[in-house]
């Protein structure tokens, strides 16, 4: 799905966002990145069944996407001096 692809592509841009934040000494870039990823994830989660996916392969793929988002958000928030909640 395009929604899955868009989220994965957004995650792939995080490294560049870190580079820009460092170059410009602007940590707000990372806050905007975290918010943007959260918005992409919300769209993905509402549109794409994860545990009730059509196949085991799709379910495993979507679980992997969820875990990648979780780790990325934890990393971004950690750099900003914040803790990610255990559950939402």
């Amino acid at each position: 799905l395009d929604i899955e692809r868009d989220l994965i592509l957004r995650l792939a841009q995080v490294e560049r966002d870190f580079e820009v934040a460092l170059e410009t000494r602007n940590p707000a870039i990372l806050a905007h990145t975290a918010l943007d990823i959260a918005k992409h994830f919300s769209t993905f989660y509402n549109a794409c069944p994860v545990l009730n996916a059509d196949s085991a392969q799709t379910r495993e793929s979507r679980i992997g996407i969820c875990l990648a988002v979780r780790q990325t958000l934890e990393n971004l928030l950690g750099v900003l001096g914040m803790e990610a909640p255990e559950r939402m």
Side-chain angles (χ1 to χ4, degrees):
L1 293 171
D2 288 340
I3 293 170
E4 289 171 300
R5 184 190 48 136
D6 290 347
L7 177 55
I8 293 167
L9 291 174
R10 183 62 189 100
L11 290 173
Q13 295 171 351
V14 171
E15 183 178 350
R16 180 67 185 135
D17 294 341
F18 267 102
E19 291 170 0
V20 172
L22 283 171
E23 290 168 4
T24 61
R25 298 175 190 236
N26 184 2
I29 291 170
L30 300 180
H32 290 289
T33 297
L35 179 60
D36 193 41
I37 290 171
K39 288 178 181 178
H40 275 80
F41 181 74
S42 179
T43 300
F44 160 79
Y45 195 78
N46 286 316
C48 303
V50 176
L51 297 179
N52 296 325
D54 295 335
S55 70
Q57 182 179 5
T58 301
R59 181 177 60 247
E60 294 302 317
S61 173
R62 289 179 179 168
I63 289 171
I65 292 169
C66 291
L67 293 173
V69 168
R70 180 175 126 190
Q71 186 62 58
T72 302
L73 289 175
E74 283 180 4
N75 292 346
L76 286 165
L77 294 176
V79 167
L80 295 169
M82 300 169 16
E83 283 188 36
E86 288 187 36
R87 292 185 61 167
M88 301 247 342

